[in-house]
Amino acid sequence: MHFQHKAILRVLTIILLFTSTLISINPTTVQAQSLSELSNLNVDELSDAQIRELIRRAGELGLSETELLQMAKLRGLSDFQIEKLKNRIEGLDSSAMGSARSSSQAGKRDARSQGDLNEITQGFFKYQQELFFFEEESSPYFGGDLFYNKNRKLTFEPNINIPTPKNYILGPGDMIYIDIYGQSERYMEVNINPDGFAIVENIGPISLSGKSIEEATNILKNRLSNFYEGMRGSNPNTYLQVTLGNVRSIQVHLVGELRLPGTFTLSSFSTVFNALYAAGGPSENGTYRNIKLIRKNKTISTIDIYDFITNGKADLNLQLEDQDVILVEPFEGRATVEGEVKRPKIFEVKNGETFADLLRYTGGFTDEAFQDRIAVSRITGKERSVSDIFKNQFDIFTVKGGDKYTINKVLNRFTNRVQIKGAVFREGNYALTEGLTLKQLIANADGVRGEAYLERASILRTSEDLSTEVLTVNVRDILNGSAADIPLQREDVIRISSIYDLQEEFYVQVTGEVRNPGTYPFSKQMTVEDLIILAGGLREAASTKDIEIARRVGTPQEGLFSTLIPVNVDKSLVPSDNPQVLEPFDNVIIRRKPNFNLEKIVYIEGQVNSPGAFAVQSAQERISDVISRAGGLTTFAYAKGATLIRRTEYFNTESEQLRRQKNLMDLQLKLQADPNNTEAQELLLERLFKDLGNKDAAKSAVESAAVSEVKRETVAGIAESKGDFGQVKIRETEAVAIDLEKIMNNPGSAFDLILEEGDIISIPRQLQTVRLRGDIVYPTTVRYENTRGLKHYINKAGGFDNRANRKRTYVVYANGDVARTRSFLGLRSYPSIEPGAEVFVPTKGPRVPIRPGELVGLTTGLATLVLIISQITQ
């Protein structure tokens, strides 16, 4: 009942929306009619703005334009006006939203109705929030969403743009077109009046109500042949054609178990499905299987909606007539189907229907349904009973109301599966055929891989009681025939380990002055020269006389981490007479040559004769040296404004966990990006990084988890190494104030700084202005005047502001030096001003007002102090 109640409220709200909107946007047109009747509305009197308002409000309720027209038809709007409204909606210009009509009459009507529009809109939406805005639920009954759904698209709207049906029955309100052509020509439009007569000009009334188009054509031909003799005879030369123009509206009564029973005004082309859609379809208690169409107190048709839903069959040629009655009786019986069917819902059933019929309504079983036996719960009078339906009984088991059918899933198990995992070429599931043995299964998996550990393999076998046991076998003996083959059973899991799963991964590292430092797979008899070649060769800075091998200590001792082995190699990497053979986990460290440094570059920009980049010649290269190499200063150079810009290095303080993660990612990308990896290298990488970071990887045995943990520790150890995976450096720059005049006058003095990599010496042109900033009346830039002090320039900017902090005024000179105001015995000494300087006047900050309580405390304290002093003086 809750679902039905919400549905009825929604339909009532939609109707109230349409009616109240039309009244609010055009009260003068409909003020004489009731809220439920719109038959006298003239769409031509509505402005474009009012039509848009109607569409906007309907859109807020989720109604399409088609549904809006349907709602208008339900409230009695004529088909002629419906067509006008449809044309008006389609012809609206979306770019002119909100514009009023240009005619003065429409403008007055809009202005007059605007107050009523706003008032009724507010009242309606308050009502709407109480009744309409709810989360619409899907109907649990099969077919319940067909006629009424929030996102409904199936409207059953009749098509009026079709050829005139010969069996269409004319009635009052229909318009027919009479076309006479041939030797004589004439065209007439005739309406059938409420008495059922068509008034034909110069002929008189002709009774056509209740006649089909074909019958009406014969009647008109007989009457008109008296005036057009060419219509008579076996060889006529004048012809008659009768077609249907505007169709009439009919009234249909929908009663019984409907969401919105009542009398509806519909098109004469409408069918039972159009009427049911207008009424929202059957209610929660209404039948979908036995809907009756009653005409003149006789049932002329019975409609089964399930036949339309499941088979697409609908008697759409059975058109409604005026005063037809559609009766929706209560349902006869319902059965529930749940579980593995495509439509698990509640279905209405008829007497004599079987489970096969019910299964067809559900759409059939899903792919995982257990079809051999269906459980049914049935009401037997006082209580329920449980029965089973077997597959061969579906066509004979009769369904009854109240039945509840449950379709279960198939079991999640295999009847003939065996598995093989590990060091075989094709791991996976295999079918257990009759007489299948371990040797045959290995052959089906294309044999064992080269690194397979054949001396020991395991078979995990499951017993009938679901307990497990492990069988240990020697695969090598079975394959060469020295041991008996083993027959396999259902759900056996064979695991053949790799030798690399049972030992720590072997690798070597090279660090320092090689082109590609990093980690490489270990190979037997590998020498230092071999590893350097794998790493891309030596760099220019590499020292071939100072190479060390850091080797793990075989017998751990307290305080001893590794054994260091010095090595000398030829620069051309020619094998020596006694090469040093590497062992697993060796780390070859190749250092730089003594005093090897790359060239350092500094830059000079501005007023020198040859600005640009300069290479630093020695570790004692100074500013004056480079300026001299640049040809000295130009005549326009302003030496006092020269600045040195120097880089500063800061090291990013990553947390230890983030650093390790970054090193690991760098290592993985660096190793896997090499397109020249050999098969052995690829296998090493696959073993190292397999399952890393995959927390959901399934572990089929305890030893697998242990091997995975060893791999994780191995890779983490590699990532922990310093190698080429250091921390990221962030470079920034800062300005260093220099006195270029003193530098050039005293080369090599303390003012003449030693240059570093990346230094930039900036020498500006002669400056002639002074900038003033801060808490002054008018911050500006003024012309520099020699012999003028700071207060002169402050006055040029309008003087100090009220909150200016005069004693903290400071000056920034063109070279970056800063000078502040000094005070002694209340006298202020302001800094001197030079070209290009900037004067900054700080503010004292906001003034904090004294609160009344603080003022009272202050005056009280002063009064007490005065009293004490007066007593002392007495």
Side-chain angles (χ1 to χ4, degrees), residues 56-85:
R56 184 188 67 80
R57 297 190 185 185
E60 291 176 352
L61 292 179
L63 293 176
S64 65
E65 294 178 1
T66 301
E67 292 171 326
L68 174 62
L69 297 175
Q70 184 70 21
M71 289 299 115
K73 186 179 295 185
L74 292 181
R75 303 320 308 157
L77 195 64
S78 67
D79 293 329
F80 183 66
Q81 295 295 332
I82 288 288
E83 188 66 22
K84 285 186 177 182
L85 182 59

Side-chain angles (χ1 to χ4, degrees), residues 80-374:
F80 183 66
Q81 295 295 332
I82 288 288
E83 188 66 22
K84 285 186 177 182
L85 182 59
K86 180 179 179 181
N87 294 334
R88 288 286 302 278
I89 292 175
E90 293 176 351
L92 284 178
D93 184 5
S94 58
S95 64
M97 288 294 289
S99 62
R101 297 186 66 182
S102 58
S103 65
S104 60
Q105 181 179 2
K108 294 178 181 179
R109 179 167 63 249
D110 290 347
R112 184 170 58 253
S113 62
Q114 187 61 42
D116 297 333
L117 172 63
N118 294 335
E119 181 178 355
I120 295 179
T121 300
Q122 294 174 0
F124 165 73
F125 281 110
K126 180 180 179 182
Y127 175 80
Q128 180 190 35
Q129 291 171 357
E130 295 175 355
L131 295 183
F132 178 70
F133 284 136
F134 57 84
E135 187 67 24
E136 187 168 354
E137 302 171 357
S138 177
S139 174
Y141 304 103
F142 180 59
D145 297 327
L146 179 64
F147 297 103
Y148 188 79
N149 185 273
K150 182 177 182 180
N151 298 317
R152 56 186 174 177
K153 301 297 181 185
L154 188 63
T155 64
F156 300 100
E157 183 178 0
N159 184 11
I160 60 176
N161 297 318
I162 59 175
T164 303
K166 297 298 182 183
N167 60 348
Y168 178 79
I169 305 301
L170 296 173
D174 281 337
M175 174 187 287
I176 59 175
Y177 300 145
I178 303 174
D179 189 9
I180 302 173
Y181 61 95
Q183 185 175 6
S184 300
E185 294 185 357
R186 189 175 181 185
Y187 173 78
M188 292 179 286
E189 294 181 1
V190 180
N191 291 313
I192 300 177
N193 62 25
D195 294 329
F197 292 94
I199 309 299
V200 182
E201 186 178 357
N202 298 325
I203 295 178
I206 301 176
S207 179
L208 297 180
S209 179
K211 308 297 183 181
S212 67
I213 292 293
E214 187 175 7
E215 293 172 341
T217 301
N218 294 331
I219 294 173
L220 290 171
K221 185 176 180 180
N222 291 333
R223 293 289 299 269
L224 292 174
S225 61
N226 297 326
F227 299 90
Y228 300 95
E229 295 183 355
M231 292 183 182
R232 297 178 178 178
S234 57
N235 295 314
N237 55 19
T238 301
Y239 305 93
L240 174 70
Q241 182 180 15
V242 179
T243 56
L244 186 63
N246 291 334
V247 297
R248 70 183 184 278
S249 298
I250 60 173
Q251 285 190 329
V252 180
H253 310 286
L254 285 91
V255 295
E257 299 297 329
L258 291 150
R259 285 192 173 95
L260 189 64
T263 300
F264 293 86
T265 301
L266 305 174
S267 165
S268 57
F269 277 175
S270 299
T271 64
V272 174
F273 286 92
N274 301 122
L276 290 174
Y277 175 80
S283 65
E284 184 177 344
N285 293 325
T287 179
Y288 280 78
R289 310 294 306 277
N290 192 28
I291 298 175
K292 296 179 180 179
L293 174 59
I294 301 174
R295 183 175 296 163
K296 297 179 180 179
N297 298 326
K298 291 183 180 180
T299 301
I300 64 171
S301 180
T302 301
I303 294 90
D304 187 347
I305 297 177
Y306 278 18
D307 197 24
F308 171 71
I309 298 175
T310 57
N311 302 320
K313 296 180 181 179
D315 191 4
L316 299 179
N317 293 325
L318 182 62
Q319 295 179 345
L320 297 175
E321 295 185 8
D322 192 42
Q323 303 304 317
D324 277 354
V325 176
I326 297 175
L327 175 61
V328 179
E329 298 177 340
F331 66 90
E332 184 176 344
R334 284 175 176 167
T336 303
V337 182
E338 60 184 22
E340 296 302 314
V341 291
K342 296 174 182 176
R343 299 190 193 108
K345 284 183 175 289
I346 301 173
F347 298 86
E348 184 179 350
V349 293
K350 289 183 176 181
N351 286 333
E353 287 189 318
T354 64
F355 179 74
D357 299 323
L358 182 61
L359 186 62
R360 186 174 66 256
Y361 299 147
T362 66
F365 294 112
T366 64
D367 295 336
E368 296 186 357
F370 176 61
Q371 306 178 19
D372 292 343
R373 183 181 60 83
I374 308 299

Side-chain angles (χ1 to χ4, degrees), residues 676-694:
N676 300 318
N677 285 339
T678 64
E679 182 180 0
Q681 289 174 310
E682 292 293 342
L683 289 175
L684 173 64
L685 297 177
E686 180 181 355
R687 293 194 299 271
L688 283 176
F689 295 104
K690 184 179 180 181
D691 296 337
L692 286 181
N694 184 7

